[in-house]
Structures are given as structure tokens and as C-alpha cells.
Amino acid sequence: MKKTHGPALLATFATALSLALAACSSGTGAAKAAGGGAANSDGSPKTLRIGYQLIPNGDLVVKDQRWLEKALPKTRITWSRFDSGGDVNTAMIAGSIDIGLAGSSPVTKGLSAPLNIGYKVPWIFDVIGENEALVARRATGIAELRGKKIATPFSSTSHYSLLAALQDAGLKETDVKIVDLEPPDIQAAWSRGDIDAAYVWTPVLSELEKTGKVLVTSKDLAAKGKVTADLAVVRTAFADRYPKALSVWLQQEDRAIKLIRSDRTTAAAAVGRQLNVSPDDASKQIDQLVLLDGRQQAGPQYLGTASRPGALAQNLYSAAQFLKAQNKIPTVPDLDVFQRGLAGKELGDAFLR
């Protein structure tokens, strides 16, 4: 049975125009910039644009079961697939989506200068565990990767974890050659023999494990203080204008976690359909994550409440310090920037009333 609680979470684009163009063409599906518009007569949005990723958490259950479409019958729900949190950040800046999934590292960047994306975190999709890992072809330890070519999606949680793993092994970033590839491209490059190692997540990770060796997982790094998570981000303007719709969205995500706990067969089948894998494989992938329900997330270890922001703010602040040390962001924002970035009020309205 899936563990339902885990340790507390620790953890420049050139112009606005170039970002907007990138958002409309990146990956496998940035949503079109058009959308939103006036509200329906009942106050619900006419359109809700969601950016999702192929990660075996509750979001895929919500999508597969069409719960949002049923709960918001007057709202047109669009689902656009992304390959990484960096692409989600780009789409958020372009105004292409209203809610998206991004890892804690890209969210840290999104809340920091120079991006300062106008969004906040209302939900934790999952705490990352063994579903993200560093896999190598002909190495038994990380130190053996010196001079090797390692692929990972830049600005992702995997990128953050790779840098942490190298640092822990006594290697500098310049001791290896890190290349920026999205997960599908990593799988293709691995098949061609173009790369020596990769830090990536399932389902691509599962394919690489067939011919490679796992050197370290994100669960291993979490035990050393470098915890990562998949977070929801919602445009602040959308959250302010449509609080009821956001509450409905939160309740459906919570419903998915409860289904995973109570009826794994149905939940695994739903996730399997979205990932195009068997229910058994989907269930195994689900087990590699830590999933939290709404009440758990409103606790002090995680998102917290409006009056008392949770430990996630400190975790993102710690991640910002690490990213600054790696020259990935120019400055570290004050802690209150990350505290304001947590949507504790919205989470409390959905589950604690």
C-alpha cells in the first residue's frame, strides 16, 4: 500500500515576446495563448486551461475520469501536455495556461527574480521518490562519470537533483558534460548511444533501467536534505477571479488521492491508460511517490494555512540558496516571497472549513 505521508519537504528569458512564442510551440503541447474570457452566469470560468505531465499521480486520475468536466459543466476544460516544468513556466508567463504541474526547482525559479511569475502553489501533486533517478551505462558510482555526457531536462527537479548528486560525489558541474534534453529525447539519445547517463523520471526512467544501472535516486537525495516535489501552480489572477473553480479543482485532486488509497485497481487502470502502460506497471510507478491528501497538505510540514505558511516555503528558500550557489538564479529572494507563494488560504477554504 502506498505510503501516504513522508518527511517534510526541503526543498532569463530574453523577452516576453520570445517566451510567448516558445510557449506556443514548445514540447508536446503548450496551450494556445487564447482562453479565459468572461465568466459564465454562475460565476464559473468559461475556460480552464490545464498543463499536465505524464507523472503517475492523482492528476492523471482526474484527467482520465473527467471529474473536472463533470464538476464544472459550464466550463470548457482543456488539457495540454508538457514534458518539463521549465516549459510550464514558459507557458505561465505567456498566459497560455491557468493551472499547471511543475517541479519544486522550476517553481523556485518561477517565484524568484528575474522571472517573478504571477502564480502561487495551491497543491502538492507528489513528493518525488524513486521515480526520478540517475542512470548510467558503464559506471558503478557517480565519481566514474567524470568527463561523461549526462542528459537531463534543464530547469527541472531532475536537473536540480543531478547537480546535488554531483556535488555530493565531489564532482563539479564542469567535470561532466550536461546536455539539455526532454524525456522523450533522452530515451532516443540513450538508444542511439549518444549519452553515457541521464537523470530523468518515469516512464522514461523505467526504459533506461532495462540497460543501465541506477546510481542514485531522488529518494536517496531526500535523505540528505535535497527533497523535491511536483507542485501545482495557478495563475494568481485566475485564483483571485475564480476561487470557487479553484476549490473544485482542489477537491477533485483530493478525491483522486483517496481513490488511489481505497481502490488501487481502478486508480491504477486510470493512470495506466494515461501512461499507456499496464495497470500493474502503473501501480508500481504510483508506489514510487509519496501522495498527500488535502488535510495533510494543510499541515505545518507542507503548505500550511493562510495564517501559518508551511515548511514548503522554507524548502523552496533552501532550494533557491542551492540554485544561487550553482549560478542558476542571480539572487536568493527573502523567505516571505516563498511564504506568499503558497496558497494556504485557498487550500484551507477547500478542506478546513
Side-chain angles (χ1 to χ4, degrees), residues 18-41:
S18 66
L19 287 168
L21 291 173
C24 292
S25 61
S26 65
T28 54
K32 292 183 179 179
N40 292 312
S41 58

Side-chain angles (χ1 to χ4, degrees), residues 19-36 47-52 76-84 87-100 235:
L19 287 168
L21 291 173
C24 292
S25 61
S26 65
T28 54
K32 292 183 179 179
T47 303
L48 171 53
R49 302 163 301 168
I50 299 172
Y52 75 101
R76 178 173 175 263
I77 311 294
T78 64
W79 295 82
S80 297
R81 194 186 115 194
F82 292 83
D83 286 328
S84 70
D87 284 348
V88 170
N89 273 350
T90 301
M92 277 286 179
I93 293 171
S96 302
I97 57 175
D98 303 305
I99 297 174
R235 286 194 302 117

Side-chain angles (χ1 to χ4, degrees), residues 46-307:
K46 287 192 173 181
T47 303
L48 171 53
R49 302 163 301 168
I50 299 172
Y52 75 101
Q53 295 191 50
L54 292 180
I55 297 173
N57 55 36
D59 204 33
L60 292 187
V61 176
V62 174
K63 179 178 182 293
D64 184 82
Q65 299 294 295
R66 297 184 59 82
W67 285 344
L68 270 177
E69 288 80 354
K70 297 169 186 174
L72 294 169
K74 293 186 178 181
T75 300
R76 178 173 175 263
I77 311 294
T78 64
W79 295 82
S80 297
R81 194 186 115 194
F82 292 83
D83 286 328
S84 70
D87 284 348
V88 170
N89 273 350
T90 301
M92 277 286 179
I93 293 171
S96 302
I97 57 175
D98 303 305
I99 297 174
L101 183 158
S104 47
S105 181
V107 170
T108 297
K109 288 187 175 183
L111 293 173
S112 304
L115 294 187
N116 296 320
I117 301 174
Y119 64 32
K120 49 189 173 181
V121 179
W123 185 254
I124 300 169
F125 285 113
D126 57 78
V127 179
I128 297 170
E130 295 173 332
N131 67 305
E132 286 192 20
L134 175 61
V135 182
R137 288 185 183 280
R138 292 173 289 274
T140 58
I142 298 174
E144 296 176 29
L145 295 178
R146 185 184 298 271
K148 303 297 185 179
K149 184 182 292 186
I150 309 173
T152 196
F154 281 13
S155 299
S156 67
T157 51
S158 283
H159 189 194
Y160 169 87
S161 295
L162 172 60
L163 296 178
L166 292 174
Q167 183 183 70
D168 185 62
L171 294 179
K172 299 177 183 178
E173 186 175 351
T174 53
D175 289 332
V176 299
K177 183 178 181 181
I178 302 177
V179 294
D180 180 15
L181 293 176
E182 296 296 330
D185 300 318
I186 287 176
Q187 185 172 343
W190 180 274
S191 298
R192 293 192 302 267
D194 293 345
I195 56 177
D196 302 296
Y199 208 122
V200 70
W201 53 85
T202 54
V204 171
L205 173 62
S206 299
E207 293 301 313
L208 271 55
E209 286 178 322
K210 294 176 181 178
T211 54
K213 176 180 175 59
V214 172
L215 302 183
V216 68
T217 71
S218 293
K219 181 180 179 181
D220 298 328
L221 293 172
K224 298 181 179 181
K226 294 296 187 293
V227 176
T228 51
D230 291 313
L231 307 176
V233 287
V234 58
R235 286 194 302 117
T236 302
F238 183 91
D240 291 345
R241 185 173 185 182
Y242 302 112
K244 291 184 178 179
L246 178 57
S247 184
V248 168
W249 180 87
L250 286 166
Q251 289 163 2
Q252 304 314 306
E253 293 293 337
D254 182 68
R255 180 182 176 188
I257 300 305
K258 291 173 178 174
L259 182 70
I260 289 171
R261 294 176 182 177
S262 65
D263 187 354
R264 175 58 71 90
T265 299
T266 299
V271 171
R273 282 191 291 270
Q274 294 299 311
L275 295 178
N276 195 29
V277 300
S278 71
D280 284 345
D281 284 345
S283 185
K284 292 175 183 176
Q285 291 187 31
I286 291 170
D287 279 335
Q288 294 177 325
L289 299 169
V290 177
L291 304 177
L292 306 162
D293 64 32
R295 286 191 172 272
Q296 287 175 311
Q297 295 195 29
Q301 283 186 306
Y302 301 105
L303 284 169
T305 62
S307 60

